[in-house]
Amino acid sequence: MSLITNTEDFLEQTGKISRFAGHFFSHGIKPRFEIKELLSQCYLIGYKSFPLVGLTGFIMGLVLTMQLRPSLVSYGVQSELPVMVGIAIVREIGPVITALIFAGKIGSSIGAELGSMKVTEQIDAMEVSGTNPYKYLVATRVVATTLMLPILTLLGDAISLFGAYIGVNISSVTSLRFFFTQVFQSLTYSDIVPAVIKTLFFGFAVGIIGCYKGFNSTKGTQGVGISANSAVVLSSVLIFIIDLLTVQLTNLIGLN
Amino acid sequence: MAKQGENNIKLGLFVLAGLLVLMVAFYMIGKNRNIFGSDFELKARFSSLNGLMEGNNVLFSGIQAGTVKSIEMVNDTTIEVTLQIDSKVKSFIHKNALAAIGTEGLMGNKVVNIQPVKAASFSVSNGDMLTAQKLISTEEMLQTLSKTNNNIASISEALKATVLRLDSSAIFDILNDKTIGPSLKSSLGNINKASKNASDMTMGLNELVTQIKQGKGAAGLLLTDTAFAGNLKQAITKLKSASDNANKLTLQANMIMTSVNHDMNDGHGTLHALLKDSLIARKISISLDNVMKGTDGFNQNMEALKHNFFFKGYFKDLEKKKQANKALPVQ
């Protein structure tokens, strides 16, 4: 009985999210645009997240290099370390780690912000005052996350590669120039372009889930916490699902 | 509102930084793939690509010079590869350069190596076809190696058997014997001496031969003097005639002897009487007895004469003369 309820719940949730996302495309990206709100959201979502993403990216690059080194040494190919780390960071680690951090920071904040606005009936008030709350609150945030995550990912990748450079230099010596030559020697557009495109979807997923959960939070202040929490969990899971779909799709196209 | 503007500037910086990273990344990859900058095309036809793919690097004398642009099957044994080459190296690649498919490192990606040939030639132009050089693939190399390994295995087997046989044979004892060294050394010394002697001898012989050639010595005369040969021939002829005469003489002597023999046997002549007649021998013996008796008588007569006073003086004088001769030694 509970399984059926759960399944029904799950399907209902999926349908509602899909409808919510469809509403974004049908109503959200139509004039008039809330440019000012969008820019301030971009600032909050993108710029303010940069230190966190930079720090995690740097540590990730450093740790990944140090972790990969012993196994490469055992094969006698430690000189290929920059190549391997570069591909790993640009293709997978950079986008996914950045997106997960982003989901943790931004997904929860959007969920909590919109949730508290919903429970305190600010959204209803906004609607009454003639402002389209969907456009003003949801569309700006979703567009901001969609556009900011790729930029955060690119910067995070760069910092991560610098961390990897330091990681390589801990146990051997290489010049920064040679390190980046080696990294880019092995990279192709088919490594970078899908990675950038998928972060657009990651950002969209984080924004849309955060907004949905916030917009649909109930049960007072308790519900705010629930919506913030579930926004993070669901968007993280969605990030992995989208990642899987992307890699299958790029394989299908033959870009891999 | 001022806060908002400041935030927007920060946001702008952030976005630009992100886009800059993207552009740099695109440029770095594009530089490696020769997408930016001017370039030209070269072509080469191979029978097998060994896994070469579009986008693989092209090296000219080991320097990154471009990428593989396209791969096209011409027929079942020919594959045409179009190479996109940086125009910076255009003036250095000549028309007779060789294109070969190689590997980056031992296990790395495939590359096309363009190697210059020393012979003079014009620089390439866009779309030129380069001569392909067939390189030995790793598989072929391994196959050859496998053959070599088999050969080495059989050779080592045979060597092992030989060594085992050697180990048990007398040669090994000889090799092991430490006294052989010095004795071999002394033998060699002897051989050295002998060869020295032989050399001396040869030199002597050489000298002799030279002398003979020059006609010195008996042999030289014999071998070189033509007049001597004539003389010798004459002498031999004379010897021959002498021996002929001797032969005749012998024949005559033979005839004489035959006749003598005949006479002797038939009982004619003095010889026969002397040699064969026993009667005569006795007669001679008797005659000789009588002669002896006669001589004895004569002796007695002579003794008697000595003592006869008519003749005594004569004999005494004779005696005196004899003694005087003995006393006076001959001067």
Side-chain angles (χ1 to χ4, degrees), chain B residues 149-259:
Chain B
N149 274 343
N150 285 338
N151 290 346
I152 286 173
S154 53
I155 287 169
S156 69
E157 201 68 32
L159 253 180
K160 190 185 162 196
T162 314
V163 166
L164 282 176
R165 237 184 293 158
L166 257 181
D167 200 21
S168 58
S169 74
I171 292 175
F172 201 70
D173 293 340
I174 290 170
L175 285 176
N176 238 356
D177 197 345
K178 277 181 184 152
T179 58
I180 280 185
S183 68
L184 209 69
K185 214 174 176 181
S186 67
S187 302
L188 281 174
N190 290 343
I191 288 172
N192 196 16
K193 273 184 209 161
S195 68
K196 211 172 179 183
N197 289 346
S199 165
D200 288 349
M201 223 153 82
T202 320
M203 267 169 69
L205 263 175
N206 199 15
E207 220 173 304
L208 210 67
V209 168
T210 321
Q211 281 182 0
I212 287 171
K213 271 186 187 162
Q214 286 166 357
K216 285 179 191 166
L221 198 69
L222 206 68
L223 292 172
T224 53
D225 196 343
T226 44
F228 179 77
N231 290 347
L232 203 69
K233 204 176 173 186
Q234 223 175 319
I236 286 167
T237 322
K238 278 179 183 165
L239 255 176
K240 204 190 166 194
S241 65
S243 75
D244 282 350
N245 291 344
N247 200 19
K248 277 178 197 164
L249 213 70
T250 324
L251 273 170
Q252 281 169 4
N254 201 16
M255 274 160 67
I256 292 165
M257 282 309 286
T258 319
S259 65

Side-chain angles (χ1 to χ4, degrees), chain B residues 299-316:
Chain B
N299 264 355
Q300 277 171 1
N301 290 343
M302 283 306 283
E303 269 309 301
L305 257 179
K306 270 182 194 174
H307 294 294
N308 196 302
F309 78 98
F310 288 114
F311 297 103
K312 227 179 189 170
Y314 170 74
F315 282 109
K316 270 187 182 170

